Amino acid sequence: MDILKEAVLQIEAQQKGKEHTAVYMVGEQLKDIMGNNEHFAELVLQDLKNPDMSLEKCEKKIKARADELHKQHSGSCACVSPAEAEKIIREFYGLHKSASNGAEKKTVSLMDLL
């Protein structure tokens, strides 16, 4: 089975029965972050096999941030922006943008072109 499909199936297995919850949305955002990147899919697949790396555990990290914001602002509610949630998800699963294409970035000098 293709590693991308396998990772998506693993995410969906953890989402099952949790529709319309924060845990489900973490899974959706994780699928978006993973995209078609096989390296990310491999990392996600390995992590999701570990109970300490479940979607629920990741969602608790996001909720902890929302709770922290709630205390800071003393309001009736607080939320975490999609960008901040993405940062937390990327950190939790080790999906750093610099590793997104698996290739090293190279610098091209104008002198090389001349």
Side-chain angles (χ1 to χ4, degrees), residues 1-51:
M1 181 183 291
D2 170 312
I3 192 82
L4 291 165
K5 287 180 185 175
E6 199 173 339
V8 169
L9 288 174
Q10 186 69 27
I11 292 168
E12 289 174 349
Q14 290 193 21
Q15 289 177 305
K16 190 170 178 94
K18 295 179 174 88
E19 293 79 2
H20 308 290
T21 69
V23 172
Y24 187 88
M25 295 312 298
V26 168
E28 291 300 292
Q29 197 163 3
L30 181 57
K31 286 189 266 185
D32 287 343
I33 292 167
M34 190 176 64
N36 290 325
N37 187 310
E38 290 183 359
H39 176 69
F40 282 180
E42 191 173 320
L43 292 173
V44 167
L45 190 57
Q46 289 173 9
D47 284 345
L48 291 179
K49 290 178 182 177
N50 177 349

Side-chain angles (χ1 to χ4, degrees), residues 79-104:
C79 67
V80 175
S81 72
E84 192 169 9
E86 178 177 337
K87 181 180 178 204
I88 293 167
I89 292 167
R90 283 182 179 276
E91 287 175 5
F92 190 79
Y93 291 108
L95 308 176
H96 305 290
K97 288 183 180 183
S98 62
S100 66
N101 64 4
E104 290 183 34

Side-chain angles (χ1 to χ4, degrees), residues 55-109:
L55 295 179
E56 283 191 32
K57 297 283 184 173
C58 184
E59 186 275 330
K60 286 182 182 190
K61 294 265 186 192
I62 296 168
K63 183 177 182 325
R65 177 64 180 141
D67 290 346
E68 180 183 319
L69 291 170
H70 185 253
K71 286 179 187 176
Q72 286 176 4
H73 299 289
S74 303
S76 60
C77 67
C79 67
V80 175
S81 72
E84 192 169 9
E86 178 177 337
K87 181 180 178 204
I88 293 167
I89 292 167
R90 283 182 179 276
E91 287 175 5
F92 190 79
Y93 291 108
L95 308 176
H96 305 290
K97 288 183 180 183
S98 62
S100 66
N101 64 4
E104 290 183 34
K105 292 182 181 178
K106 295 186 180 186
T107 305
V108 177
S109 166

